[in-house]
Amino acid sequence: MTQIIELDGALGEGGGQILRTSLSLSLITGRPFRLRNIRAGRPRPGLRPQHLTSVQAAAAIGQATVRGACVDSIDITFEPGKVVPGKYHFPIGTAGATSLVLHTIYLPLALAGGGPSELTLEGGTHVSTSPCFDFLKTTWLPYTELCGLHIDLRLHRRGFYPRGGGLIQATIQPCPRLHGLQLTERSPLRTASCISAVASLPDHIAKRQAERA
């Protein structure tokens, strides 16, 4: 059995990123890990629903064995199996960020080969302290394309804090290998555009915006 890598979640910022990165790398390399002190640097440490969904999503696509996967857990052990592309549905159940669940599993699915994967993610699409859907679509996707990844993203419902309820779909094509990102030329200047997504506007403002659209 491969030796389990011991990780301390209190290192660095002490947030959820070390969890998501550990899950992704574990699926790619096949190495198991134990993460303790999860989100120790946050006011409410431990797994929140979004982080738990990331663990569950990683376990589902990677046929993994997991111990300690529950809300508020500060210690998990993750033993990956084989990553299997396919159709998956992961509802967070809160306004937790769908973008961060996607960031946990897109690369293992792309590198697994064997066919495309279709993900349906429900939760927050425009929430604070995480990349919103529009950022993924307009900025993140073009750079993943330059690295050899081919991902299609579609927004079906926006989800704001605290209700959530947003829904995005991602289709991830298999990628034999990544290649380095090289930006050697400046793209032509163009007119800047802005996207604004706001919830709970008064009816008269929402109606006026709809008439202008």
Side-chain angles (χ1 to χ4, degrees):
M1 178 179 176
T2 304
Q3 183 176 2
I4 292 179
I5 300 173
E6 297 283 342
L7 301 169
D8 186 353
L11 293 175
E13 62 158 352
Q17 188 57 52
I18 188 172
L19 169 68
R20 292 183 290 269
T21 301
S22 298
L23 291 167
S24 186
L25 289 176
S26 178
L27 291 172
I28 293 170
T29 63
R31 298 286 302 276
F33 71 92
R34 178 193 175 197
L35 179 64
R36 55 188 177 82
N37 297 325
I38 296 172
R39 299 180 69 249
R42 295 295 184 259
R44 187 172 178 180
L47 297 176
R48 305 307 305 140
Q50 173 240 112
H51 309 96
L52 177 59
T53 304
S54 292
V55 174
Q56 293 169 335
I61 70 166
Q63 307 177 84
T65 300
V66 187
R67 293 186 290 277
C70 60
V71 171
D72 295 329
S73 173
I74 60 170
D75 190 323
I76 69 164
T77 300
F78 187 88
E79 300 177 31
K82 180 181 178 181
V83 176
V84 180
K87 291 185 178 181
Y88 296 96
H89 179 201
F90 300 118
I92 298 174
T94 67
T98 51
S99 60
L100 297 182
V101 177
L102 175 63
H103 278 177
T104 304
I105 59 177
Y106 80 93
L107 193 55
L109 285 171
L111 295 177
S117 294
E118 297 180 15
L119 305 178
T120 299
L121 306 174
E122 294 186 68
T125 61
H126 295 76
V127 293
S128 63
T129 68
S130 63
C132 70
F133 176 85
D134 296 301
F135 172 82
L136 298 182
K137 187 75 172 180
T138 62
T139 303
W140 179 69
L141 273 189
Y143 284 103
T144 62
E145 287 280 342
L146 292 175
C147 293
L149 291 164
H150 301 289
I151 303 172
D152 178 65
L153 279 181
R154 298 178 185 272
L155 174 66
H156 294 276
R157 290 195 308 268
R158 287 179 170 83
F160 298 88
Y161 179 85
R163 293 180 61 183
L167 189 150
I168 69 172
Q169 287 186 313
T171 301
I172 303 167
Q173 300 298 333
C175 175
R177 60 175 296 178
L178 298 173
H179 52 73
L181 178 63
Q182 297 186 17
L183 302 176
T184 58
E185 297 180 3
R186 178 185 295 175
S187 60
L189 294 176
R190 61 188 183 192
T191 304
S193 60
C194 178
I195 298 173
S196 177
V198 183
S200 301
L201 288 174
D203 289 342
H204 70 281
I205 297 178
K207 183 178 179 180
R208 186 178 305 168
Q209 293 297 324
E211 291 171 348
R212 291 178 177 176

